[in-house]
Amino acid sequence: MTIDKAELLRMLRARRRGYGLPGAFYNDPAVYALDLDAIFTRHWLCVGAACEIPLPGDYVTIPIGTTSVIVLRDQDSGIRAFFNTCRHRGARICDADRGHIRTLVCPYHRWTYKLSGALAYAPYMPDDFDRGAHGLRQVPVRTLCGAIYICLADDPPDFDRYADAMAPLLAPHRLQDAKLAASIDLIENANWKLAMENSRECYHCATQHRELMRTFLDLYDMADPGQSADIRAFWERCERDGVPSHIAEGPDFRASRLPFTHGARSITMDGEPAVARLLGDVPHNDIGSLRWVHYPTTFNHALGDYAVMVRMLPIGPQQTLVTTKFLVNSEAEEGKDYDLDRLTHVWTVTNEQDKALVERNQAGVNSIGYVPGPYAPAVEAGVIKFVDWYCDKLTRHLHGGSATQAAA
Ligand code: FES
Ligand SMILES: [Fe+2]
């Protein structure tokens, strides 16, 4: 089934706030195409960590729907992003997820681009061909304390509000000086919104995440942690130790620092740090974790000994690429300061458990018997906030009369 713009607007107007979305929002190819247009080409997307590409010529490719973007470190050590599409006849240039290059060479007819994106070589083109007008198309890019954000729009929305709110909280973790210890891809056969909804609540954690719940405080983003005297005392102690611990929140993000349970000092199977060296300028491991989410692609945790960045990218109406990156102190040596299995174990099993849950969710909403059900505000407020944000963006986009092809 595919639905048109008028029907979508009617469904958005008719939706009951605090309830799940109609099934079409989770499985219809036309809604998926609209999501790519209204959400993924208009907002800043967290796509990776600057420490993944430390040297000039290091690159990663980012799949966003049918679009691929190259993010690279240029000759001057700046970070640039380009559409991974040749300016000759449009062939995709880079196939690999990551690698190192001196120049970008299109495999089709060998047009060759510098790391600045400038076209350096285009064989057999006429004398009056303007190479200067055929460099790779740049994609706006920003970095925020070691995280890379791109925006596919020509006129990106404001980024500074988010950056200004997050910078003090992120500062002590110094993710810009970290190193990438591991990057693990997982394909979830579910719509990206189901993956995001699942990540915004811990209603399911007690019964589904045995390993995570050894250390993880089941008090999710939208609960008011300040109501707890223990958490207020934790924040005061962190602040005294120079680790900012206020809540930061905006329409498309939220950050809070929360302690672990059972005296744990890290999210590992035994609660002890996975890495012998602290990450950043933090004073010790007893700082809990800074949890932050930024719609539509990422949620993260920065701990005393490591940071985990989870990125969710839509690759089909019912398929989402979930990539989990582990950042550690750049001086930490694998095998000496940390064991990779120990570092990644809790998150790897948790992600597999979540994959099963969101795929179960997808299967159920694909049924003709599905009707949207109510969220539990006490434990699913984060889901409600995300779904409201999504519906607002989609409604505005549809009313904006853009060239969106809502009907497939
Ligand atoms: S399409 Fe890239 S060189 Fe022809
Ligand atoms: Fe989960």
Side-chain angles (χ1 to χ4, degrees):
M1 176 188 108
T2 57
I3 49 183
D4 64 16
K5 177 175 164 176
E7 173 65 3
L8 266 173
L9 272 172
R10 191 198 63 71
M11 290 165 83
L12 284 164
R13 266 197 301 271
R15 95 176 170 100
R16 212 164 152 186
R17 189 163 179 269
Y19 278 64
L21 296 168
F25 284 84
Y26 299 118
N27 57 23
D28 190 299
V31 178
Y32 174 70
L34 187 63
D35 283 359
L36 292 180
D37 192 10
I39 307 288
F40 286 90
T41 65
R42 298 194 189 255
H43 292 275
W44 286 99
L45 312 175
C46 182
V47 294
C51 66
E52 292 181 70
I53 46 172
L55 302 173
D58 289 347
Y59 74 92
V60 289
T61 56
I62 315 293
I64 304 158
T66 53
T67 297
S68 174
V69 174
I70 305 166
V71 178
L72 58 72
R73 184 78 66 168
D74 71 15
Q75 219 55 264
D76 302 320
S77 293
I79 292 177
R80 294 178 184 254
F82 305 103
F83 287 103
N84 189 6
T85 292
C86 182
R87 290 297 308 279
H88 176 219
R89 280 168 50 198
R92 178 159 292 177
I93 300 169
C94 292
D95 297 324
D97 293 345
R98 62 181 67 241
H100 181 86
I101 38 171
R102 289 178 54 196
T103 53
L104 289 151
V105 182
C106 177
Y108 202 169
H109 313 97
R110 313 301 291 176
W111 280 30
T112 301
Y113 303 88
K114 296 181 184 177
L115 299 181
S116 65
L119 178 61
Y121 177 64
Y124 296 106
M125 293 304 287
D127 290 345
D128 61 352
F129 170 61
D130 183 2
R131 280 206 310 241
H134 292 85
L136 290 176
R137 281 190 67 201
Q138 301 242 15
V139 173
V141 60
R142 293 282 301 262
T143 56
L144 168 59
C145 300
I148 302 170
Y149 291 76
I150 63 170
C151 180
L152 302 186
D154 292 333
D155 53 343
D158 176 67
F159 187 73
D160 292 339
R161 177 180 176 184
Y162 170 62
D164 291 349
M166 288 303 301
L169 290 166
L170 284 166
H173 298 283
R174 298 205 58 79
L175 302 184
Q176 60 272 42
D177 298 332
K179 79 163 184 181
L180 182 73
S183 178
I184 301 171
D185 285 341
L186 190 66
I187 289 181
E188 296 186 353
N189 292 306
N191 183 267
W192 70 275
K193 295 187 290 294
L194 292 178
M196 181 53 99
E197 286 188 34
N198 177 66
S199 80
R200 294 302 83 225
E201 50 93 356
C202 218
Y203 196 3
H204 65 275
C205 291
T207 55
Q208 305 295 327
H209 294 319
R210 195 165 50 89
E211 294 81 2
L212 180 68
M213 298 317 284
R214 286 172 170 229
T215 58
F216 197 75
L217 186 66
D218 183 0
L219 181 65
Y220 224 66
D221 282 341
M222 291 304 295
D224 180 4
Q227 286 178 351
S228 154
D230 287 350
I231 289 179
R232 283 202 305 277
F234 165 76
W235 285 345
E236 282 162 20
R237 183 171 57 71
C238 287
E239 293 273 351
R240 272 200 308 276
D241 289 347
V243 179
S245 295
H246 55 275
I247 291 176
E249 180 154 26
D252 55 359
F253 70 94
R254 179 175 168 100
S256 60
R257 188 180 304 283
L258 291 171
F260 305 124
T261 57
H262 307 112
R265 300 190 300 150
S266 183
I267 300 176
T268 52
M269 287 299 279
D270 63 6
E272 286 303 301
V275 188
R277 291 172 185 263
L278 293 168
L279 174 58
D281 292 334
V282 300
H284 46 68
N285 284 290
D286 293 321
I287 56 165
S289 71
L290 177 67
R291 308 177 185 183
W292 77 101
V293 60
H294 182 261
Y295 306 153
T297 54
T298 190
F299 66 92
N300 310 265
H301 302 257
L303 292 65
D305 62 331
Y306 70 89
V308 61
M309 303 176 71
V310 181
R311 181 191 72 185
M312 296 178 289
L313 295 173
I315 51 175
Q318 298 183 40
Q319 207 163 56
T320 303
L321 172 64
V322 179
T323 305
T324 306
K325 295 174 193 208
F326 296 84
L327 273 53
V328 300
N329 187 308
S330 61
E331 308 277 300
E333 287 178 42
E334 186 185 346
K336 179 166 164 259
D337 297 307
Y338 66 95
D339 174 84
L340 203 54
D341 285 342
R342 185 173 141 70
L343 171 65
T344 59
H345 181 75
V346 170
W347 293 104
T348 300
V349 296
T350 301
N351 289 342
E352 291 285 353
Q353 292 155 353
D354 281 324
K355 170 180 160 70
L357 293 170
V358 299
E359 291 180 355
R360 173 182 295 282
N361 201 169
Q362 183 74 59
V365 301
N366 286 349
S367 162
I368 58 168
Y370 166 70
V371 287
Y375 298 121
V379 282
E380 292 181 302
V383 186
I384 294 170
K385 177 179 169 176
F386 165 67
V387 171
D388 284 351
W389 174 85
Y390 166 79
C391 290
D392 179 61
K393 292 293 161 197
L394 214 56
T395 304
R396 284 169 192 266
H397 183 76
L398 287 168
H399 280 306
S402 88
T404 296
Q405 298 297 308

